[in-house]
Amino acid sequence: MIAPFGPGAGAGLHGMLDGVTAHASSDVLVGREADLAALRDALKRTRSAEPSAVLVGGEAGVGKTRLVEEFCRTALADGARVLTGQCLELGEEGLPFAPFAAALRELVRADGTSVLEGREHDFARLLPELGPAEATVETRRGYLFELVAALFARVSERQPLVLVLEDLHWADRSTRDLIGFLVRSARLPHVLLLATYRTDELHRGHPLRPFLAELDRVRGVQRTELDRLERDGTAEMLTHLLGAEPEPAVVDTIHERAQGNPFFIEQFAAAGDPQCCDIPHSLRDLLLTRVDMLPEQAQRVLRVAAVGGTTFGHDLLSRVAGIDEAELESALRVVVAAQLIVVDADGGYEFRHALVREAVHDDLLPGEHARLHARYAQAVEAEPHLVAMGRAPAEIAHHWHAAHDYPRALTAARLAASAAAERYAYAEQSSLLQRVLELWEVVDDAAELLGAGHLDLLEESALAAIAAGDHQRALKLTKAALADLDPEAKPLRAARLLVRRAKLLYTAGTSDGAAESREAYRLLLAAPPSPERTVLMADVAYQFGGVDDDLAAQVATEVMAAAAETGDVATEVSATITYGRVCGGRISAEEALPSMQQAAARARETGDLPNLARALVNVSDSLFELGRYEESAAAAAEGVPYADRVGVSRTTGVFLLANHAEALMALGRWDEADARLEEAARLDPPGTLALPWLRLRAHLRLARGHEGAQPLVQRAVAYLGRPYLHREHRLSLLELRIREAQCSGDEAAATAAARLAIAEPTEPDRARYRWPLLAAAAAVEAPDVRAGVARIAAIMPQRHPVDRAYAAQVRATLGDSPEPWREALAAWHTDGQRYPLAVAALGLATAEAAAGNRTAAAEAIEEATATAAALGATPLVTQADTLARRLGLRSATHPAPAGADILTDREREVLRLVAEGHSNSRIAEQLYISPKTASVHVSRIIAKLAVTSRGEAAAVAHRLGLLN
């Protein structure tokens, strides 16, 4: 834009600047060399397969977009791929996933739909133009996130990918959740995520503030804030803008007024008077001064455009402006020439800076504001194709609300909420339903317009809040719904709300939900028999479990009887599952397993996937208790995809993933277990539902000496401070607290936690969680703790091999001789869990060393080292190595080179069978030895050959000719 200078300029200044053109923007990036270098370094890390994210903050106009544009230009020149998406200024209830939809649209436009690998129906939830999304009511947002991550991973395999997400301060909750997933969980090695946000928008309650704080703690995330320019930067920028070096006084005045903000400097330079005699004091006035310089028709078009948002299409603007096409084009040409708006890549228009749009929009008269927003709403309602596909519901809701047409805003918000739910954008659905509830109070015929009652709306809103993970809001909504209902008139509906509230309280750790469960039970007893009543009774029984076991068993028995009377297979299966779960501590795993397996079989036959997933949780639990770890892992693995398909990934699915991981940990397949726990973590289950994966991964990382163990432990044990925690969770978290304190050498903390452990009510039916806790507490030296452990251990049942192994380990830990440790080691060989076996072997080595049995100690050290090394249990290997060096033995972690002279004849025989692929049981049969002895031989062979697995041992044997 050529901006004539005002009459206030001095004669000398006029002489210097005569004929000088003031450009609206500078092509040269000023004062950002260090910031640009930081972005290039981040891209280098991405090229080295290191996940990276850079969050660029700064006040409006400081040059975030200009910096990113310059970086992307150089990144493209260096062979990177760049995809860009922008958040929309529609608020928290706006269009979900908007920047990702824009980035994916750019990708599909360039590469075609083949890049989606046949998953168009899944991606249609982000890009509606791909066709109808798969019809489902399943809660599978995690699946959608996985698809997006996998797509970016594939694209980045060919060349590094820079994913630019602009204006994060306008991001909806779903967009933030997907960013969090990509950064924290997916951690794509060849993708650089680059996001911008305004720091001056982040008031204390802004949702982006805690989100940024969370990302700050993630490795590979870098946050940088752009500073304003120094005076020299202002001078350099003005030189580029004006085409000549300005007088020092001009630089001083503009720098003082603009305070180093590049966008403000541009506007001052384009304002007309180099000496700044007439420069407005407020930015808003400054921006509007530039608008006022336009012809009246261009100003009017710009005002209409400002109501449409930062980006808008020509056809939509034409419908709303209501003027002749030639006049519209003429006005737009003037506005584009003034560089107030620019043509975007899609052929539409975009305000060059959001501040311009905001200033123009805020300058509208009240009546003009309402009228234009209403015209936009009418235009999009009549022709939804005028906006990007899938965007119409959110746009219509936004415009009717801004127009203060509350009846239309009410119905539009409800429709937009439904559209958000279809895209798994539950946070936006919840926000929109909140708006519907607010509008309900001011719209007289709201029920008639919506075709639903206030109670229906409260229930719908509560379910949306639960899906969004906002359990506190869900609690408030269920409370309001109960207050809106006569429970005696509608007992089933009231009971359903009460059960839901009890579950929310339980999950939050706020209370046990017993009061709500008892009231629900009372109402259900008075209700006539029906399948719904039976299902709700089952929920009540489940809620009583761990709170009032006698009442839980009573209700579960009633549920079984009621289900049998219905004759409905699904109801009967559900009742059986509930009974097995509730009464699990009262009947042995051997007794419970057949009925659970039968329930799973019936559910499988009838295609009842929800009940099948639930049944497999119980089946895998029972198999684990029995020590049948391979079968337990298989049962849990079978159930995971079922949970995903029926939308219970964050509840039942998490239990299945945790059960699978726990069985894999027992089998020594720790890498596989960690991968399953990572899957569970990605699902981000709310409240105490996170504990199954959280405590297991904390244990795993502690045992491996992982640097990330401490944060997980702290997060897990923090639940001990909740007002209510299920007894099983409390026992397992106390064990974790003791083991963490022992690992860190904090004897005082270990003792304090152990004293809490022995003070817990003794329940023989919680043996699965009590025995590991006693084993951990037994290692505490405090006499009162050791006495308490011995007292409790004496009355605990020993039904299964794992119970007997833990009991033997407790006796050995409390004793001071090798024999109990030999019994413990033998018991763990029988049970099969690898890590406790290594612990017992090291305990035996320590006891043998104390007794002066150096040879026996050496053999036990070899077994402990081999087993622990195979698991990657570095701290245990280090302890074994330390003991070996104290005994003057060859270092456990630095064995002699493998060769023909290090194996005995018997070990050669065993190794030959290992190389042929035989199991320990088969080796035992071939050599007429016990499986336990075969296992010991294999462990010793692995240790002597300095390998970590049977396969590696066989490979080394072949390479060195040890089998000849």
Side-chain angles (χ1 to χ4, degrees):
M1 172 184 177
I2 299 177
F5 294 113
L13 193 59
H14 268 301
M16 185 187 75
L17 296 177
D18 279 346
V20 171
T21 299
H23 299 280
S25 62
S26 171
D27 293 332
V28 178
L29 189 64
V30 175
R32 301 301 183 207
E33 293 78 8
D35 301 302
L36 192 58
L39 293 180
R40 288 170 176 161
D41 287 344
L43 183 57
K44 287 180 183 178
R45 293 194 296 273
T46 301
R47 292 182 187 278
S48 302
E50 183 179 340
S52 297
V54 180
L55 310 174
V56 180
E59 65 182 0
V62 82
K64 301 180 292 298
T65 298
R66 182 70 185 86
L67 171 68
V68 170
E69 287 173 349
E70 179 64 19
F71 166 69
C72 289
R73 184 183 65 77
T74 60
L76 286 168
D78 291 341
R81 180 78 179 265
V82 177
L83 296 176
T84 303
Q86 189 169 26
C87 300
L88 301 180
E89 191 183 3
L90 294 179
E92 275 289 290
E93 63 278 354
L95 184 66
F97 304 116
F100 287 101
L104 293 176
R105 190 170 286 115
E106 180 182 344
L107 176 64
V108 171
R109 186 185 299 118
D111 293 12
T113 56
S114 60
V115 74
L116 304 179
E117 295 191 340
R119 298 182 182 274
E120 287 87 347
H121 288 303
D122 292 315
F123 280 103
R125 297 190 183 278
L126 294 178
L127 300 179
E129 59 265 35
L130 295 175
E134 182 182 358
T136 176
V137 296
E138 300 166 11
T139 310
R140 301 177 64 192
R141 192 178 70 154
Y143 175 65
L144 181 65
F145 285 12
E146 293 278 5
L147 283 178
V148 172
L151 174 60
F152 289 150
R154 290 197 304 273
V155 172
S156 64
E157 286 174 356
R158 301 188 293 270
Q159 58 190 136
L161 174 63
V162 179
L163 178 61
V164 179
L165 305 176
E166 294 212 68
D167 297 324
L168 215 57
H169 51 280
W170 289 331
D172 56 278
R173 163 77 179 278
S174 293
T175 293
R176 295 195 300 272
D177 287 347
L178 181 47
I179 292 171
F181 173 81
L182 293 174
V183 172
R184 288 192 297 258
S185 300
R187 298 191 58 75
L188 305 176
H190 297 291
V191 176
L192 169 60
L193 191 150
L194 176 55
T196 66
Y197 64 94
R198 284 192 201 169
T199 52
D200 49 337
E201 292 277 348
L202 304 189
H203 53 78
R204 180 170 295 181
H206 197 290
L208 189 62
R209 288 181 66 140
F211 179 68
L212 292 174
E214 290 174 14
L215 294 186
D216 276 341
R217 295 191 289 269
V218 179
R219 183 166 52 86
V221 174
Q222 176 184 351
R223 181 142 60 123
T224 182
E225 291 192 7
L226 300 189
D227 294 325
R228 298 177 179 183
L229 298 178
E230 300 291 341
R231 183 193 179 282
D232 289 346
T234 298
E236 183 181 351
M237 189 170 178
L238 284 171
T239 299
H240 290 299
L241 289 168
L242 299 174
E245 185 175 350
E247 292 289 342
V250 173
V251 174
D252 289 339
T253 303
I254 290 183
H255 185 68
E256 180 183 353
R257 297 282 185 86
Q259 297 184 3
N261 184 295
F263 179 70
F264 299 177
I265 295 170
E266 289 181 356
Q267 302 310 304
F268 283 132
D273 182 2
Q275 280 200 334
C276 307
C277 297
D278 299 319
I279 288 179
H281 286 275
S282 75
L283 174 64
R284 176 179 174 278
D285 290 342
L286 169 65
L287 297 176
L288 292 177
T289 297
R290 291 196 60 202
V291 173
D292 290 341
M293 295 170 64
L294 300 175
E296 178 58 35
Q297 187 71 293
Q299 290 185 45
R300 181 172 179 272
V301 168
L302 194 63
R303 288 196 296 272
V304 175
V307 175
T310 305
T311 62
F312 53 94
H314 181 89
D315 291 341
L316 177 58
L317 181 63
S318 176
R319 300 292 194 281
V320 177
I323 61 175
D324 178 76
E325 189 67 21
E327 292 181 11
L328 176 62
E329 290 179 356
S330 176
L332 284 171
R333 192 174 299 279
V334 172
V335 177
V336 171
Q339 294 195 36
L340 292 171
I341 65 172
V342 296
V343 179
D344 66 21
D346 294 327
Y349 301 98
E350 180 179 358
F351 277 87
R352 184 173 167 272
H353 201 289
L355 287 172
V356 176
R357 191 204 74 81
E358 292 168 15
V360 175
H361 183 265
D362 292 347
D363 195 49
L364 294 172
L365 297 173
E368 186 181 25
H369 176 277
R371 177 174 55 81
L372 287 176
H373 273 291
R375 291 185 67 174
Y376 267 100
Q378 290 167 342
V380 178
E381 277 185 336
E383 300 177 83
H385 64 273
L386 292 175
V387 296
M389 212 166 170
R391 186 167 159 177
E395 289 276 357
I396 294 167
H398 167 71
H399 287 301
W400 280 130
H401 193 257
H404 306 300
D405 188 329
Y406 296 135
R408 288 189 174 94
L410 176 81
T411 55
R414 179 76 180 282
L415 291 172
S418 298
E422 290 174 4
R423 302 180 72 163
Y424 306 136
Y426 303 114
E428 289 67 45
Q429 179 197 13
S430 182
S431 294
L432 285 160
L433 288 173
Q434 170 65 15
R435 179 186 292 177
V436 175
L437 284 169
E438 291 169 356
L439 291 171
W440 180 282
E441 304 299 328
V442 297
V443 176
D444 293 334
D445 54 347
E448 184 178 343
L449 288 171
L450 294 176
H454 192 250
L455 181 59
D456 300 320
L457 193 57
L458 286 169
E459 282 204 77
E460 183 181 353
S461 298
L463 290 173
I466 291 170
D470 190 352
H471 284 198
Q472 289 304 312
R473 172 156 177 73
L475 278 167
K476 293 178 182 177
L477 288 165
T478 53
K479 183 177 181 180
L482 286 165
D484 216 23
L485 175 67
D486 179 0
E488 306 304 328
K490 296 182 178 180
L492 286 181
R493 191 167 195 176
R496 183 171 65 243
L497 285 166
L498 286 163
V499 167
R500 186 174 299 149
R501 183 168 176 79
K503 289 180 179 179
L504 288 167
L505 292 168
Y506 175 92
T507 301
T510 304
S511 83
D512 57 13
E516 288 77 8
S517 298
R518 290 181 193 280
E519 176 62 10
Y521 182 43
R522 184 189 70 80
L523 292 169
L524 290 171
L525 287 177
S530 69
E532 182 183 5
R533 174 183 179 273
T534 304
V535 169
L536 287 170
M537 288 276 282
D539 282 338
V540 168
Y542 189 85
Q543 286 303 118
F544 280 137
V547 177
D548 187 334
D549 289 337
D550 291 335
L551 184 55
Q554 174 189 323
V555 178
T557 303
E558 294 171 2
V559 169
M560 289 285 286
E565 291 178 4
T566 65
D568 180 70
V569 174
T571 304
E572 291 179 20
V573 168
S574 178
T576 303
I577 295 168
T578 299
Y579 184 83
R581 189 68 182 171
V582 169
C583 300
R586 292 169 172 257
I587 57 177
S588 66
E590 293 93 340
E591 294 175 281
L593 182 60
S595 62
M596 289 299 101
Q597 290 175 321
Q598 183 182 16
R602 294 181 72 186
R604 195 179 289 110
E605 290 168 4
T606 57
D608 183 1
L609 297 187
N611 274 328
L612 178 54
R614 289 180 59 220
L616 289 171
V617 173
N618 291 9
V619 169
S620 59
D621 265 334
S622 295
L623 289 168
F624 188 92
E625 284 196 49
L626 294 172
R628 294 158 62 175
Y629 303 122
E630 290 281 4
E631 294 173 77
S632 175
E638 180 191 354
V640 170
Y642 301 146
D644 180 53
R645 286 171 62 184
V646 299
V648 291
S649 293
R650 298 180 76 212
T651 52
T652 304
V654 170
F655 291 129
L656 287 163
L657 286 167
N659 282 4
H660 190 195
E662 192 170 23
L664 292 171
M665 287 170 67
L667 293 166
R669 292 154 59 181
W670 280 14
D671 289 340
E672 294 175 66
D674 194 52
R676 298 261 80 176
L677 294 172
E678 172 66 21
E679 289 181 53
R682 290 181 184 181
L683 293 170
D684 192 23
T688 57
L689 295 178
L691 282 175
W693 78 262
L694 188 56
R695 67 175 179 83
L696 287 174
R697 204 170 199 203
H699 273 295
L700 192 59
R701 290 193 170 181
L702 272 180
R704 282 187 155 176
H706 192 286
E707 61 180 6
Q710 194 64 29
L712 284 180
V713 172
Q714 290 177 349
R715 181 179 167 188
V717 299
Y719 281 90
L720 289 169
R722 297 284 178 98
Y724 173 76
L725 197 63
H726 194 281
R727 283 171 291 184
E728 293 176 0
H729 289 322
R730 184 167 177 80
L731 294 175
S732 62
L733 291 180
L734 284 172
E735 180 210 351
L736 177 63
R737 181 68 187 95
I738 294 171
R739 294 200 183 280
E740 185 274 333
Q742 291 168 338
C743 287
S744 61
D746 189 345
E747 188 61 33
T751 302
R755 285 182 174 136
L756 289 175
I758 61 174
E760 284 289 308
T762 304
E763 298 148 341
D765 60 336
R766 308 290 169 185
R768 176 175 174 180
Y769 303 93
R770 177 75 67 175
W771 275 120
L773 176 58
L774 291 176
V780 172
E781 294 297 329
D784 60 318
V785 171
R786 295 170 67 84
V789 169
R791 172 179 52 78
I792 297 171
I795 61 173
M796 290 297 296
Q798 300 178 34
R799 300 190 184 109
H800 312 302
V802 66
D803 298 338
R804 292 187 282 275
Y806 271 123
Q809 183 175 328
V810 168
R811 288 194 299 272
T813 305
L814 295 175
D816 57 2
S817 65
E819 185 55 35
W821 279 112
R822 295 190 194 103
E823 295 174 1
L825 184 59
W828 283 118
H829 272 293
T830 300
D831 175 74
Q833 289 198 42
R834 306 304 295 164
Y835 184 70
L837 187 151
V839 171
L842 184 58
L844 175 58
T846 303
E848 295 284 17
N853 303 327
R854 189 170 179 274
T855 301
E859 292 177 354
I861 287 173
E862 284 188 6
E863 181 172 8
T865 301
T867 306
L871 297 172
T874 304
L876 204 59
V877 173
T878 301
Q879 292 176 43
D881 185 55
T882 300
L883 179 60
R885 284 186 277 106
R886 286 175 179 171
L887 293 176
L889 302 171
R890 174 179 51 82
S891 171
T893 52
H894 299 87
D901 59 338
I902 66 171
L903 298 182
T904 66
D905 290 340
R906 172 62 86 181
E907 287 167 349
R908 286 170 181 268
E909 292 177 324
V910 172
L911 181 57
R912 185 176 292 107
L913 294 173
V914 168
E916 293 174 3
H918 291 299
S919 66
N920 288 349
S921 298
R922 184 62 179 157
I923 292 171
E925 292 176 7
Q926 292 283 319
L927 300 181
Y928 301 100
I929 59 178
S930 70
K932 170 191 167 185
T933 302
S935 175
V936 171
H937 281 308
V938 171
S939 296
R940 289 175 178 171
I941 291 167
I942 288 173
K944 286 183 177 183
L945 297 183
V947 295
T948 61
S949 68
R950 300 164 73 99
E952 288 181 21
V956 169
H958 282 297
R959 188 173 70 250
L960 298 179
L962 301 185
L963 304 181
N964 298 332

